[in-house]
Amino acid sequence: MNKESLLHYCELIDEVGETTAAIKKIEADIRKIEKQLRDIEEGETVADKVYGGEGGWQGFVIEGVPIPEYNRLKIILGNKRLCLQSERDTLVVRVTMLDNERIQVQEFINRLKDPQIRRIINFRCISRLQWSEVAKKMGAGYTEEAVKKSFSRFLQREF
């Protein structure tokens, strides 16, 4: 285990979170588009007012099924479904990588003799807490700057 492996593990956790968020957004987009398509299929029409006739001042209301919009939504839905499958495939790969690296990182952390640095690394790299939260978890007498500095010194000393 080296410094890059530890930092790579942290980045991988972030990537998994970002991919999961992207999947949720795509799923929400798909649900919205599917609802729009259902509304059109169930007879929802659109109306517009146009002017014409003698002198161009007579108003007419036109109403109908929005076929171009329906076709456009079908294409977008297909693309969103492809994107969703791609993101899910990416997530599977990243989670597998993360699981493999998690074991190595945990073994590395467990071999450390200093309980303070073990706790700091666990809070920061495993639990993904902010530095201020790490300091709070460490207890009285620890500041954000102190835990950051301890972590930085550890990385410089060990790697």
Side-chain angles (χ1 to χ4, degrees), residues 24-55:
K24 287 179 182 177
K25 183 184 180 327
I26 294 169
E27 288 172 340
D29 291 347
I30 287 173
R31 284 191 300 275
K32 180 180 173 186
I33 293 168
E34 286 173 338
K35 183 192 179 312
Q36 291 172 324
L37 288 170
R38 271 193 314 276
D39 290 345
I40 293 171
E41 289 165 355
E42 292 171 358
E44 181 181 277
T45 59
V46 293
D48 199 4
K49 187 169 188 174
V50 295
Y51 294 93
E54 266 189 55

Side-chain angles (χ1 to χ4, degrees), residues 25-153:
K25 183 184 180 327
I26 294 169
E27 288 172 340
D29 291 347
I30 287 173
R31 284 191 300 275
K32 180 180 173 186
I33 293 168
E34 286 173 338
K35 183 192 179 312
Q36 291 172 324
L37 288 170
R38 271 193 314 276
D39 290 345
I40 293 171
E41 289 165 355
E42 292 171 358
E44 181 181 277
T45 59
V46 293
D48 199 4
K49 187 169 188 174
V50 295
Y51 294 93
E54 266 189 55
W57 294 104
Q58 189 174 1
F60 298 95
V61 175
I62 57 171
E63 185 175 354
V65 176
I67 299 297
E69 177 68 6
Y70 182 81
N71 292 336
R72 186 183 73 79
L73 288 172
K74 280 289 209 183
I75 291 169
I76 292 171
L77 181 61
N79 290 339
K80 289 283 184 180
R81 286 183 173 151
L82 288 174
C83 287
L84 179 61
Q85 189 55 52
S86 175
E87 287 293 330
R88 285 181 174 159
D89 292 344
T90 300
L91 183 62
V92 167
V93 169
R94 288 181 178 157
V95 167
T96 302
M97 289 171 54
L98 186 62
D99 287 342
N100 292 336
E101 288 189 31
R102 180 179 286 124
I103 293 166
Q104 295 171 1
V105 169
Q106 287 290 356
E107 287 173 352
F108 168 74
I109 292 170
N110 290 336
R111 285 193 307 267
L112 296 174
K113 290 180 177 40
D114 184 355
Q116 174 190 14
I117 201 66
R118 269 198 315 264
R119 291 180 67 214
I120 291 172
I121 292 173
N122 265 313
F123 292 142
R124 181 65 179 171
C125 297
I126 305 299
S127 299
R128 303 301 292 152
L129 299 178
Q130 298 294 318
W131 285 115
S132 59
E133 297 169 310
V134 172
K136 191 175 180 180
K137 288 265 193 188
M138 291 296 291
Y142 288 93
T143 64
E144 183 176 338
E145 286 302 314
V147 292
K148 256 195 241 185
K149 193 68 171 171
S150 293
F151 184 75
S152 175
R153 286 181 181 153

